[in-house]
Amino acid sequence: MTALDAPTTDAVVGVTKLRKEDAHLVTGRTRWTDNVQLPGLLHVALVRSPMAHARVTDVDVSAALEQPGVVAAYTGADLVEHWSGGLPCAWPVTEDMRSPVHLPIATDEVRHVGDAVAVVVARTRYQAADATEFVVVDYEPLPVVTDMEAALADGADLADSTLDSNECFTWPMVNGDIDAAFDGAAHVVTRRFVNQRLIPTAIEPRAVVCAPPRDQREFTMWSATQIPHILRLMLALTCGVPEHELRVIAPDVGGGFGSKLNVYAEEAICLVLAKLLDQPVKWTESRTEGYVATIHGRDQVQDLSIALDEDGRIRGLKAKLLADMGAYLQLVTPGVPLLGAFMFNAIYKMDALSFECTGVFTNKTPTDAYRGAGRPEATYAIERLIDEAAHEIGMEPFELRERNWIKHEEFPYETIAGITYDSGNYEAATARAKEMFDYDGLRAEQARRRESGDKVQLGIGISTFTEMCGLAPSRVLGSLSYGAGGWEHASVRMLATGKVEVVTGTSPHGQGHVTAWSQIAAQALGVPYEDVEVRHGDTAVAHKGMDTYGSRSLVVGGYAVQVACDKVVAKAKRVAAHMLEASEDDLEFDRGTFSVRGSPDASRTIQDVALAVFAAHDYPEDMEPSLDSDATVDPENFSYPHGTHLAAVEVDTETGMVHLRDYVAVDDVGKVINPQIVEGQVHGGLAQGIAQALFEEAVYDAEGNLVTGSLVDYYVPSAADLPTFRTDRTETPATSNPLGVKGVGEAGTIASTPAIMNAVVDALRPMGINDVPMPASPRNVWETIQSAAPPVGGDKASGATNGGAA
Amino acid sequence: MTRVQMTVDGQACDDDVEPRLLLVHYLRDVLGKTGTNVGCDTSNCGACTVHLDGDSVKSCTVLTVQADGAEVATIEGLAQPPTDGDATSGWHPLQKAFHAEHGLQCGYCTPGMIMSSMDLLGRNPSPSEEDVRHGLEGNLCRCTGYVNIVRSVLRAAAELRGETVGDADEGGIGEADVVSDPEHEEQLENLEVAP
Ligand code: FES
Ligand code: FES
C-alpha cells in the first residue's frame, strides 16, 4: 500500500484503483523478452527475401559460417524435417479452403518480401546481423500478384505456384428473403469502400528466447506474445516437442493489438535451434524487419447495397467483400472477415442480409487480426453507408439511424445475422453524445460556413456502433469451424495467512488485468485489494488458458475469476458454519465476514477460515481441507458494447488538410470494474481508429515492395496529431456474465474510423463528394477535391477545378 | 575496440567497445541496464530516450564512443530511495504522475516518455497542453492515445512547481451518466451462473 494507492473500505469494484502493474514499468525494472540474458545465449538473425515472389534456386550459407562469432547457419532445406507441415492456421473457414504450406523458412519459393530463406546464429546480435550479408541466395523472379481483383481474373498469375487459384475461399451467408427486400425498394444505395491495409505497430517489437532442457526436461520459451497457451499447444504440434515438455512465458509484453496473437516462424525457428544447438537462443525483430514479418491488418474491398422504403426503413443489405489474405494463412487469417459478417447489420433492424466474402492470396505479408479484426471493417462500411443513404434520400443522418435501430425496450433482440444482442440503449448514448457535442450548435456553424463559402469547411461525423466481442461461446466458434473453444480459466488460492493468489488464463500486455482481477477478487472474497496477487502469462504457473484478444479478457476471464471466488466463498461458508456450530443457512457473508444471523458476535472472517483449513485440525467431514477453487467458464453469448461517437473536423479545401477539432465518445460497456482503466482503453482504441481514418496505410508497389516499410514512411500518430478526446458512458449491464460487463478493448477503434470519415465526407458533400479514400491525408483529400465535379450552379465553397487530380 | 568511460546513473563505467556499438545497446547488453527500450531502427519512436549531460537524446542514434566522458541518466536512476515506508515516496514527480493519471498501459514507451518529459519540463516548467503535445512529438505510444500522458506531464509540472495535486482524473468515465434497464439489473441478479 502506498500514499498514491490509499486503501478504501468501500466497494473495490467500480472505482478507480491505481494500477499494481505500474511500479516496475515506471522505474525501468522491466522484464521484456529482449531483456532476458542466459549463460551461453546465442543470437539469431534471419535472411529475408527482398523479392515478393521468386523461385529460390540456391541458398549458400558457407561464407556466413566463416564470419566472426558465427556458430551455425541453416537453409530452409536444412531444417524442413523439423516442422511437420508448417505453421498452423487454426481457422479453416470452408471445407475446400486453399491453404498453402507455410514453412518457417522457405525452401524453394518465396511469396512475399520478408519471407525467410536462411537463419544465422552467432555469439552477439551484431555478429548475427553482419553474417546474414554473407548468405548467398539465388532467386528466379516469378510474377507478382498484388491486386485482389486482378488475382481473381481468369488466367491470372498465381501468388503461390503450388496452388491452382488465388482464391482462398468464398464464404456466403444469406438471412431473410434478400431479393424481396430489394425488389420494389423505393431507394437502393450502392457504394464501394476500401478498407486499407494497416500495420499494427505495437511499440515493443516481437522477440523470442528459447532455452533447451538442461536440468529440467522442458524447453523454456519467452516470447513477446499475447497467447502463451495457444503458442505452446501449436508449437508442440508443429515442432514435435511434447506439449508437457514446453513451457512458454509471456513476460512483460509491450502491446499487441493482434500482432502478437499468432504462431510465428521465429518462434518455431528458435525452438528448433535450441534443440539442435542445445544452447539458448534469442531473436529480436528490428522494426523495419517487423513491418514485413509481423502480420498486417484490414485490407478489404467492400461492395455494398442497401435497400430502403420511401420513409427510410431499411429493407435489406448486401455486402460482398474481397479480403486480402497476403501470401500465407497465419493463425486466424481467413476467419477475420467472418467476424465482421455478423456486424454489417450493426444496430439496425432489417428484413434480409446477404454477405459473401472471398479471401484472396497476394504476394504480401499475411494479414490477420488487428484491433477489432473484421468488426472495424464491417462497422466502417455500414456507418458510412447509412450516411450515404441519408444523403441520397434527404434525411438527417441521426433520423435515419433512429428510425432503424433496435429500440431500448426490444432487447434481447435477435438480429438478421442470427445472433442475439442481450442489452443496449442506443437512445441514451446518443442523447448524451449529442448534448456533450453541442450537435445542433455545430450544425448551425456548418451551415454558416457553407453559406459564406469559407475555405475551411466543417464536417460532422456520426458513428452509432455496436460490436460483438468477448470471444467467445465455444459452440458458436465450433459452428464457424474455428479450431478451438472460447472458454477461460481461473483459480483462486486462499493462503494460510489470508492472502490470495489469483491465477488467470488471460495474458495481459497493457490491459491492467492484475489490477482489475484484484478488484474482482477483493470484492468477491471481502479481502483487502492489497492482499490479492494475480499470476499470469506462464504456462507453468497458469496451466490453462485461452489468452488475450478479441476484448475477451474481462468478460470471459474476469467472469472466471468471479466464479472461482464464489466457489471459495461457498466452501469457506461450510467451514465457518462448522466452526461456529451453526447451520450454513443461518450464516451471512458480508465484506469478508461470516456471521450468524441475529447474533453478530458469532462470526469468523474468511482469513480465520483460511487458517483453520490450512491447519486442518477440525473441518467438516465431507469436504477436502482446502478452499482453493478453479473455474472454467464458457460464455453463452458474445458481448455487445455499443455507443455513439461524434467527430467534428475542419477540412481546408485548398490544402486538403483535415484538422480533428473535437471528438466525443459515449460508450456503453455495461458495468465497469475500474473506470480509469476503461477510459484508457477507450482513448487508445480511438487513437488507432482515428489513425486509420487520417494517417496510416501500408502501401505496396506493383513489384510487391512495401513502400511504407519503416516508421519513417508509415505514419503512426504522435501526441501532436491528436486532440484530447471527450468521453462519457452510459451503463446498460450485459446479461451474459455475472459482472454485467462488456468488452472495451476494441470498441474505440471500431467506432472512430467511420465517425471521422463521415465527418470528412460531410465537410466536402457540397462539392459533390460522397467518398474520400482512407487515410484522409492532405494528398488524398486534395486529390478528391480536384477530381470532384463542381455541383450544378457552381461551387463557391471550394473554387475547385474539375479534373485536377494527377 | 575503443575504450570508453562514462557515468551511468551515477555509476562509473569503463569498457572496451566496438566503435559502432549504439549507446542503447551498450546500456542494455553490456551494462544490463534494460530499463531503456528499443522500439525502432529509424529514430522515430523515442522509446530509447536517455539524458546525455542533462539533455534528452535518442540513445539509438548515439554511438557509445560519442558518450565517452559523459554523464548518462536513464529511467533506472530517476527514483530516489523511499523517504518512508511508502515505495512511491522516492519516485520522481513524473513517475508518480504517470501512475496517478494512468499514463501508461503496456509501459514500453514509458521510460522514453518520462525522460523526454523531464527534459521538456526543464525547459518549460509551465507548459500548456499544446506545448506538451508538441514537446513529445518524437515519442510514440501505441496504447494510451496520449490523453493520459499529457495529463501526467501537466500533473508532474504542477507538482514540480510546488502546487498541490489532487486526485487522478478519471476523465468522463467515472460514474455513468445514464444507468438504464432496471429490468436488466433484475435479469442480472437472477442470472444462472454456469459453474
Ligand atoms: S529506438 Fe530510438 S527512436 Fe526508436
Ligand atoms: S503504453 Fe504501450 S506504447 Fe505507450
Side-chain angles (χ1 to χ4, degrees), chain A residues 590-667:
Chain A
D590 183 35
R591 278 168 286 174
T593 301
F594 297 96
S595 51
V596 180
R597 210 169 275 119
S599 45
D601 290 344
S603 69
R604 291 288 187 278
T605 66
I606 195 162
Q607 290 92 342
D608 297 337
V609 176
L611 184 62
V613 169
F614 172 76
H617 298 161
D618 183 18
Y619 60 95
E621 294 277 323
D622 54 350
M623 68 183 283
E624 295 175 18
S626 171
L627 300 180
D628 298 349
S629 296
D630 276 24
T632 303
V633 303
D634 192 1
E636 283 177 13
N637 197 351
F638 292 91
S639 171
Y640 305 97
H642 71 82
T644 298
H645 289 207
L646 291 168
V649 302
E650 289 178 337
V651 183
D652 186 322
T653 55
E654 287 176 359
T655 64
M657 187 70 196
V658 175
H659 168 67
L660 176 52
R661 181 168 119 180
D662 193 15
Y663 196 98
V664 165
V666 176
D667 285 276

Side-chain angles (χ1 to χ4, degrees), chain A residues 203 254-255 257, chain B residues 103-110 140-144 149:
Chain A
I203 296 294
F257 319 112
Chain B
L104 63 150
Q105 290 180 23
C106 78
Y108 198 78
C109 69
T110 311
L140 298 178
C141 173
R142 198 55 156 168
C143 298
T144 63
I149 289 178

Side-chain angles (χ1 to χ4, degrees), chain A residues 285-299:
Chain A
E285 79 180 358
S286 74
R287 176 66 58 191
T288 303
E289 181 182 23
Y291 267 21
V292 293
T294 296
I295 60 104
H296 293 174
R298 316 279 191 263
D299 208 344

Side-chain angles (χ1 to χ4, degrees), chain B residues 37-41 43-48 58-61:
Chain B
N37 298 329
V38 179
C40 72
D41 47 6
S43 67
N44 288 89
C45 77
C48 61
K58 292 181 172 177
S59 64
C60 72
T61 55

Side-chain angles (χ1 to χ4, degrees), chain A residues 35 130 408 679 724 728, chain B residues 20 28 129 142 170 177 181:
Chain A
N35 295 6
D130 288 349
H408 165 54
E679 172 148 37
T724 291
D728 200 353
Chain B
R20 63 172 173 165
R28 291 182 54 83
E129 180 187 328
R142 198 55 156 168
E170 286 183 354
D177 255 273
D181 292 45

